[in-house]
Amino acid sequence: MLINCPECGKEVSDKAPYCPHCGIEIAAGRSLEPAEAPARQPMREPEQKNSHKWVWILSLLLAVIDCGVVFYFYSKAKNEDETMQYEVAAQSDDAEILQSFLDNYRDAPRAHRDDIQRKLSDISRENREWNDAVLANTREALTTYMREHPESAHKDEALAKIDSIDWNNAKTAETVEAVKEYLKNHVNGEFADEAKALIDAFSALIVKPEEQAMIHNLFKKFFQSINAQQSDRLTSTVTSLLTTFLGKSDATPNDVISFMKRLWRDDVQNLNWHIIDDYKIDKKDTGNGEYEYSVTFSATQDVQKATGMTEKKYRIKAKVSPDGRISEFNMSKAND
């Protein structure tokens, strides 16, 4: 027979020693009213339900707090990482690093993204201008680039290119002044040593006063010997074989004497050559510290005949050998 538990009000067997629902002891043979009779039956169930409800609310609240804590530390770590990566990118001039920041931190503060984007745009523009300067390959284009981007990553390369351009221009000019100008602008340039050596070479080719005097005296002796008809003295001023003499190749001292004799024709009473001191002398290194001289100057010829005096002016081009003798001699009438 079923009876109502005196504690929880649920149905139990009257033979059961304990209530299977709440565990209270049930007296043997105790007779109780039907389950719906006791007034205490519905009193315990609301309390049980309320306790379950608060357990769920508390659990949910703890879960929300846990999620909030996790989210807080996650957000904090993420913000700290973004700040660190922003500082790295802000100090970098590497376009890949800047673009990587923009790709990986799309939700970064607007100010950070704008700053990195602006820097990336500046680097892209600078790279375009650098490529344009390299393609132009002129001093003007490179110096303009350096003036606009003094701290460029391409600074050393640009300076090296300007150095090379200036050196090529100096060599093309083939003057000691141009080489000195290069050294003035590029004291520690890549070609500084070569420039110094070239200046030494140019200096060696500068005709010294004693060389000018030697050449002047040589041609003075040459013409005085003709004026005085001194064959031996005349031939001592020329080499044993002249490259050309008055248009004749491989001329000998005898050809020089023949020239003198032609000038002193039978009707000539007096003959005088006068050198005009308008020498232009170029010096060429022939090796072993020896030099050949190319000489250009003017001279006048006064010829006295019975019929009167005539004067002619000639432009003379000659060469002087390293041993100080005339190795080439040609002349033409000057047009005054």
Side-chain angles (χ1 to χ4, degrees):
M1 174 178 152
L2 295 175
I3 62 174
N4 294 110
C5 174
E7 180 67 25
C8 66
K10 293 186 178 181
E11 293 181 345
V12 299
S13 173
D14 62 350
K15 304 296 184 183
Y18 299 97
C19 176
H21 301 291
C22 65
I24 193 171
E25 182 179 1
I26 300 175
R30 183 178 179 183
S31 176
L32 297 174
E33 295 296 325
E36 60 275 9
R40 297 172 60 188
Q41 178 181 355
M43 298 302 290
R44 298 296 294 179
E45 189 170 354
E47 293 180 8
Q48 187 74 10
K49 290 183 178 179
N50 288 338
S51 65
H52 290 169
K53 178 180 178 181
W54 283 108
V55 169
W56 279 106
I57 291 174
L58 182 60
S59 298
L60 181 60
L61 180 59
L62 290 174
V64 171
I65 292 173
D66 288 343
C67 289
V69 171
V70 171
F71 180 76
Y72 168 76
F73 285 106
Y74 168 77
S75 298
K76 182 179 179 182
K78 185 177 180 182
N79 290 336
E80 289 177 351
D81 180 63
E82 184 277 332
T83 300
M84 181 180 69
Q85 294 302 322
Y86 165 72
E87 291 175 352
V88 171
Q91 297 297 322
S92 176
D93 290 326
D94 190 328
E96 292 186 3
I97 293 177
L98 298 175
Q99 187 60 56
S100 176
F101 175 85
L102 294 175
D103 293 341
N104 295 331
Y105 298 93
R106 297 182 183 278
D107 56 348
R110 181 64 178 268
H112 286 187
R113 288 185 60 82
D114 288 348
D115 186 30
I116 298 304
Q117 184 63 61
R118 182 169 54 253
K119 189 168 186 179
L120 183 61
S121 298
D122 290 343
I123 290 176
S124 297
R125 178 175 58 82
E126 181 181 329
N127 286 337
R128 287 195 303 271
E129 292 177 357
W130 168 245
N131 290 332
D132 291 342
V134 171
L135 289 174
N137 197 33
T138 64
R139 192 182 202 283
E140 180 181 2
L142 291 166
T143 52
T144 298
Y145 172 83
M146 285 298 301
R147 184 170 58 253
E148 295 178 356
H149 307 284
E151 301 302 325
S152 168
H154 303 290
K155 179 179 180 179
D156 291 342
E157 188 177 356
L159 291 175
K161 287 182 177 295
I162 293 172
D163 183 19
S164 180
I165 290 172
D166 285 353
W167 174 239
N168 287 331
N169 290 339
K171 288 197 301 182
T172 301
E174 295 185 337
T175 65
V176 68
E177 291 78 16
V179 179
K180 285 182 177 179
E181 183 66 19
Y182 166 81
L183 271 180
K184 177 183 176 181
N185 295 327
H186 304 278
V187 177
N188 298 313
E190 181 182 354
F191 309 97
D193 290 341
E194 190 175 347
K196 292 174 184 177
L198 189 56
I199 288 175
D200 290 341
F202 275 128
S203 298
L205 295 179
I206 296 175
V207 181
K208 299 178 177 60
E210 57 269 26
E211 293 171 314
Q212 293 177 349
M214 178 271 293
I215 291 171
H216 178 83
N217 290 333
L218 174 65
F219 285 101
K220 181 179 179 181
K221 181 179 179 181
F222 175 85
F223 284 112
Q224 285 180 343
S225 299
I226 293 176
N227 293 342
Q229 301 185 67
Q230 295 176 338
S231 298
D232 291 342
R233 189 165 182 255
L234 176 62
T235 55
S236 69
T237 64
V238 300
T239 56
S240 58
L241 187 66
L242 289 82
T243 305
T244 61
F245 183 79
L246 298 179
K248 180 181 179 180
S249 301
D250 299 329
T252 66
N254 287 333
D255 293 312
V256 178
I257 294 174
S258 296
F259 166 66
M260 180 187 68
K261 291 180 177 179
R262 287 199 303 272
L263 293 175
W264 280 96
R265 293 192 295 267
D266 293 339
D267 59 341
V268 174
Q269 298 176 347
N270 193 25
L271 176 67
N272 279 299
W273 284 92
H274 302 281
I275 295 175
I276 299 174
D277 195 11
D278 59 354
Y279 283 99
K280 182 180 181 303
I281 305 172
D282 292 322
K283 189 176 176 181
K284 178 182 177 183
D285 188 354
T286 60
N288 299 321
E290 295 184 331
Y291 301 93
E292 179 183 70
Y293 305 89
S294 296
V295 186
T296 304
F297 63 96
S298 302
T300 58
Q301 179 196 63
D302 296 333
V303 179
Q304 180 68 51
K305 297 182 180 179
T307 56
M309 174 78 73
T310 60
E311 179 180 303
K312 295 179 181 179
K313 185 177 181 180
Y314 294 89
R315 191 66 180 162
I316 297 166
K317 293 184 178 180
K319 286 186 178 180
V320 177
S321 66
D323 63 356
R325 296 191 178 194
I326 300 170
S327 60
E328 187 174 307
F329 186 93
N330 292 285
M331 66 180 185
S332 59
K333 286 185 178 180
N335 295 320
D336 290 336

